[in-house]
Amino acid sequence: MTSERKEQVVAAAFERDLLRITFDQIAPLYVVSPQTKESVKFKRIVASIQEIGLVEPIVVSRDAKDPKQFTLLDGHLRLEILKDRGATDTQCIISTDDEAFTYNKRISRLATIQEHKMILRALTLGASEDRLAKALNVNIRTLQEKRRLLDGICPEAAEMLKDKQVALTGFQILKKMKPMRQIEAAQLMVTMNKYTINYARSLLAATPDNQLIAGATPKKFTGISREQLDLMEKESANLEREVRLVEDSYGADHLDLILARGYVTRLVSNERIARYLALHHEEFLPEFEKITEREAFAS
């Protein structure tokens, strides 16, 4: 008995070649607000493009009815920066799928330790601190602190936090603890999924003096004993566990809201529907536009 092997064809996710497209052919999914342009993230992307150019092309998909028109899936901030710099077109990746959720909600953000390793690699390859600082939109001192990020952090704690969004100050707080306490603190952060500076400070405040390095003096809370701090830490841990149980149902609800927002965005972007709403339901149109302007997507 012979068995036949059926060849499965996997559809390509992108067209083979990059395509240079004028901006008037690209329809964004939302408008970049003035508040966003004042954010640290936006200014960092501006500095990066000014220093080294556009590294990652924006992603678009062809309009089903007009192949010469495109929907912007990923790169709203980059597109806005290029427009502000006077550009009229750019090279784009053409996606064969028009689902923006794939690009914007499932990407991996660069973690603090990953950025640290990237900086070390760039310096090893000969990049100057000055150019790196300009590309990252930080001053030289901050860049040097990022370079020395893991100095004083034990390998076990660094391994646990290697893909986590821990602030630079958070690592500076951990450095005040001895290695075993660093590991305990990192475990608590991961378990609670909490990496804020205030949480790191609370862990430092609850650390016994014999688990601190010489000269480390955590902020003292007036009128609160060590036992009360320990109790507060345990209560906080219990509360965080309860919140994470609630998040099990939150995820599905959040996905429904994202899909609903995408649907409303498509409706409002249709000129005929927008004109009908303006004529017959003018009270609805501003509310729909507010929904589409909310920056549920990141570029």
Side-chain angles (χ1 to χ4, degrees):
M1 185 176 181
T2 60
S3 59
E4 296 183 359
R5 291 180 59 187
K6 293 185 177 180
E7 215 174 281
Q8 294 183 345
V9 179
V10 179
F14 306 97
E15 293 184 11
R16 181 188 267 314
D17 300 318
L18 293 177
L19 183 65
R20 183 165 288 278
I21 303 173
T22 58
F23 295 154
D24 58 3
Q25 295 175 272
I26 302 173
L29 291 176
Y30 65 84
V31 176
V32 177
S33 67
Q35 293 81 3
T36 298
K37 289 189 174 185
E38 294 300 318
S39 67
V40 173
K41 176 182 177 181
F42 187 86
K43 291 179 179 178
R44 176 171 289 189
I45 298 173
V46 170
S48 175
I49 291 177
Q50 287 176 342
E51 186 63 25
I52 59 178
L54 186 65
V55 176
E56 182 182 359
I58 64 177
V59 181
V60 299
S61 66
R62 293 186 185 275
D63 185 277
K65 295 182 179 178
D66 186 353
K68 294 184 179 180
Q69 296 297 316
F70 303 85
T71 300
L72 179 58
L73 301 180
D74 180 54
H76 286 75
L77 302 188
R78 281 166 276 158
L79 177 64
E80 193 68 20
I81 293 167
L82 291 174
K83 287 181 178 178
D84 290 346
R85 288 171 58 82
T88 57
D89 61 15
T90 186
Q91 283 194 321
C92 301
I93 297 173
I94 313 300
S95 171
T96 56
D97 185 358
D98 65 354
E99 182 50 73
F101 181 84
T102 304
Y103 300 95
N104 299 289
K105 285 300 175 183
R106 295 303 178 207
I107 61 177
S108 298
R109 303 296 176 188
L110 187 65
T112 312
I113 290 180
Q114 292 169 340
E115 183 185 32
H116 156 77
K117 292 182 177 179
M118 178 193 73
I119 290 171
L120 291 182
R121 177 64 174 165
L123 292 171
T124 301
L125 293 175
S128 68
E129 287 188 348
D130 182 62
R131 190 179 185 196
L132 275 177
K134 288 179 180 178
L136 296 174
N137 196 35
V138 297
N139 57 43
I140 292 290
R141 181 179 176 181
T142 301
L143 179 74
Q144 291 171 344
E145 290 175 350
K146 288 175 179 288
R147 186 190 66 191
R148 298 190 298 265
L149 180 75
L150 297 183
D151 293 354
I153 299 293
C154 71
E156 293 82 359
E159 178 65 22
M160 282 186 279
L161 300 176
K162 66 180 181 181
D163 57 351
K164 310 302 181 185
Q165 297 290 339
V166 184
L168 183 61
T169 304
F171 281 100
Q172 293 171 347
I173 293 171
L174 286 176
K175 290 178 183 181
K176 296 181 179 181
M177 307 174 190
K178 290 183 178 179
M180 289 306 298
R181 179 57 178 169
Q182 286 182 12
I183 295 171
E184 291 177 0
Q187 287 174 335
L188 282 170
M189 288 179 171
V190 173
T191 301
M192 298 300 104
N193 192 29
K194 199 173 184 71
Y195 307 99
T196 63
I197 295 172
N198 284 338
Y199 188 61
R201 284 174 177 157
S202 70
L203 293 174
L204 179 64
T207 301
D209 292 340
N210 62 0
Q211 294 186 39
L212 296 173
I213 64 172
T217 53
K219 181 180 178 181
K220 301 297 182 183
F221 296 92
T222 306
I224 301 178
S225 66
R226 176 70 63 187
E227 291 74 18
Q228 289 173 317
L229 283 172
D230 292 340
L231 180 60
M232 289 170 62
E233 185 178 345
K234 291 178 182 178
E235 293 280 349
S236 175
N238 290 333
L239 179 61
E240 291 288 349
R241 290 189 185 94
E242 292 177 6
V243 170
R244 293 184 72 182
L245 290 175
V246 174
E247 287 178 344
D248 290 342
S249 60
Y250 168 83
D253 295 338
H254 185 60
L255 176 58
D256 290 340
L257 286 173
I258 291 173
L259 295 176
R261 177 188 178 278
Y263 178 70
V264 171
T265 300
R266 283 174 176 263
L267 286 180
V268 175
S269 63
N270 186 298
E271 292 184 4
R272 293 179 61 187
I273 294 176
R275 188 164 54 249
Y276 177 85
L277 289 173
L279 290 173
H280 302 286
H281 300 283
E282 60 180 357
E283 70 279 11
F284 292 156
L285 187 57
E287 298 303 318
F288 286 158
E289 289 177 342
K290 287 180 183 178
I291 293 173
T292 62
E293 289 172 1
R294 293 186 183 278
E295 294 184 23
F297 302 104
S299 290

